[in-house]
Coordinates of all heavy atoms in Angstrom, one line a residue:
R371 N 11.1 10.7 -6.2 CA 11.6 11.4 -5.0 C 12.9 10.8 -4.5 O 13.0 9.6 -4.5 CB 10.5 11.3 -3.9 CG 10.9 12.1 -2.7 CD 9.8 12.1 -1.6 NE 9.7 10.8 -1.0 CZ 8.8 10.5 0.0 NH1 7.9 11.5 0.4 NH2 8.8 9.3 0.6
D374 N 14.0 9.1 1.1 CA 13.6 9.7 2.3 C 13.8 8.7 3.4 O 12.9 7.9 3.8 CB 12.1 10.1 2.2 CG 11.5 10.6 3.5 OD1 12.3 10.9 4.5 OD2 10.3 10.9 3.6
K379 N 11.5 5.5 8.6 CA 11.9 4.7 7.4 C 13.3 4.3 7.7 O 14.3 5.1 7.4 CB 11.7 5.4 6.1 CG 10.3 5.7 5.8 CD 10.1 6.8 4.8 CE 8.7 7.1 4.5 NZ 8.6 8.4 3.9
R397 N 17.3 12.9 8.6 CA 16.3 12.2 7.7 C 16.3 12.9 6.4 O 16.6 14.1 6.2 CB 14.9 12.4 8.4 CG 13.8 11.7 7.6 CD 12.4 12.0 8.2 NE 11.5 11.7 7.1 CZ 10.2 11.9 7.2 NH1 9.6 12.4 8.3 NH2 9.4 11.6 6.2
M468 N 9.3 18.6 -1.9 CA 8.1 18.3 -1.0 C 7.9 19.5 -0.1 O 8.9 20.0 0.4 CB 8.4 17.1 -0.1 CG 8.6 15.7 -0.8 SD 7.0 15.0 -1.3 CE 6.2 14.7 0.2
E470 N 6.5 19.7 3.2 CA 6.0 18.9 4.3 C 6.5 19.3 5.7 O 6.2 18.7 6.7 CB 6.3 17.4 4.1 CG 7.8 17.1 3.7 CD 8.0 15.6 3.3 OE1 7.1 14.8 3.5 OE2 9.1 15.3 2.9
D494 N 3.4 14.3 6.6 CA 4.4 14.9 7.5 C 4.0 16.3 7.9 O 4.4 16.7 9.0 CB 5.8 14.9 6.8 CG 6.5 13.5 7.0 OD1 6.5 13.0 8.1 OD2 6.9 12.9 6.0
R504 N 3.4 10.8 13.6 CA 2.5 10.2 12.6 C 2.1 8.8 12.9 O 1.2 8.2 12.4 CB 3.0 10.4 11.2 CG 4.2 9.7 10.8 CD 4.8 10.2 9.5 NE 4.3 9.4 8.3 CZ 4.6 9.6 7.1 NH1 5.4 10.6 6.8 NH2 4.1 8.9 6.1
Ligands
MG702 MG1 6.7 12.8 4.0

Side-chain angles (χ1 to χ4, degrees):
R371 182 173 75 180
D374 179 4
K379 293 162 185 161
R397 179 187 162 185
M468 296 280 298
E470 52 186 349
D494 276 310
R504 65 191 271 180

